[in-house]
Amino acid sequence: MNIRTLCLGILSFQEASGYEIKKEIEDGMFSHFIDASYGSIYPALTMLNAEGLVTLRAEEQTGRPDKKVYAITDAGHAALAKSLAVVPARDKYKSEFLFEMLMQHYLTPSHIIVALEKQLADQRQELAQMNECKADPAEGTFPGCEFVMGYGEAVLTAGVSYLELRLAELKTQALKAAE
Amino acid sequence: MNIRTLCLGILSFQEASGYEIKKEIEDGMFSHFIDASYGSIYPALTMLNAEGLVTLRAEEQTGRPDKKVYAITDAGHAALAKSLAVVPARDKYKSEFLFEMLMQHYLTPSHIIVALEKQLADQRQELAQMNECKADPAEGTFPGCEFVMGYGEAVLTAGVSYLELRLAELKTQALKAAE
DNA sequence: TGATGCATGTAATCCGTTACATGATTCA
DNA sequence: TGAATCATGTAACGGATTACATGCATCA
């Protein structure tokens, strides 16, 4: 799935500018399983408009460039539905953290503890962000949101528990070794 | 983290050919959090050799190209340790499945059920593969392996449970709707 | 006999990120 | 006054994938 489809998907919820789409990808529902930068969003939107899959309305603003608000068209809905019809690619997960953990034979115990703590903090932050989304009434209205948040919560919570357990073990060992 | 570092990491466990490295990335421990194709592995190995971070020994074979077995050097160990010293990037997770689930307003209930079943099958397969790794005595000797497998097991199991629950709900609803 | 595994490599291409370019507003 | 937010866009670059190229061995 490419950025064009992603933009179309976001616009299927609500019309938005490129800037707002980026925010949704960074802080909203989509942030948990997708990435995209301005460098890919703006060109995608331009393309989508040229192909008639979205329309464009310029909102005048003082002291800022016009806000270009995009909205999905019927052709856009059809294109999105078509993209959704193909069998989705498998999930892709990349983790430098796990790579580092596999390479324990290169690391000191204290380095490992720091890495674990960082990972734990990251996961907790992601969980917190997910709960923020939950609190946002705009998200709550779509049935897919509830599913995605439930999934994320289940997986992240399990990860956090495991990390906490392992971290506690390591700290105990470190204490014993220091004696 | 790039493919060069990944190759170095794999070679820190055991000498191997490009082909074997690919297999490790596909089926072994690394498969759960990294991807790489021949198109990136072979050039990486050539570079690494040119830089003196690995050595190369050609094993003659009948009916096949020579097997080029790479082994990490002292300089390679040092380079790897250096790569490991920098703070690792955050985990990256891309999921077309979750995107599709968010787009439920475009899908029929039966399509959603199929997507869920596919995801469930994928996750179960990954769990099974992890347990295969566990059974492999070669993997068991390194402490990092145990950690990584434990993490994967925890996270995947949580995901599977959630998917099972949601799938059951949907199937019940589908039955009721059919009445 | 046809698929799968073993074995190495290159070139074209894709898709996206990073960095650059610009500039007003608002909040601490 | 300095950082963050709002707002849009382009160009260079990077990093990897896909497809291509080759060919024997083994197993069903």
Side-chain angles (χ1 to χ4, degrees), chain B residues 7 11 16-18 21 40-50 54 70:
Chain B
C7 289
L11 293 174
S17 65
I21 287 176
S40 55
I41 294 169
Y42 283 122
L45 253 14
T46 305
M47 249 188 277
L48 250 19
N49 184 48
V54 301
Y70 294 88

Side-chain angles (χ1 to χ4, degrees), chain B residues 81-101:
Chain B
K82 208 174 155 187
S83 300
L84 256 19
V86 306
V87 179
R90 253 190 186 239
D91 287 3
K92 264 161 207 158
Y93 174 58
K94 283 192 190 183
S95 177
E96 294 198 4
F97 164 71
L98 287 180
F99 180 71
E100 207 165 313
M101 286 301 109

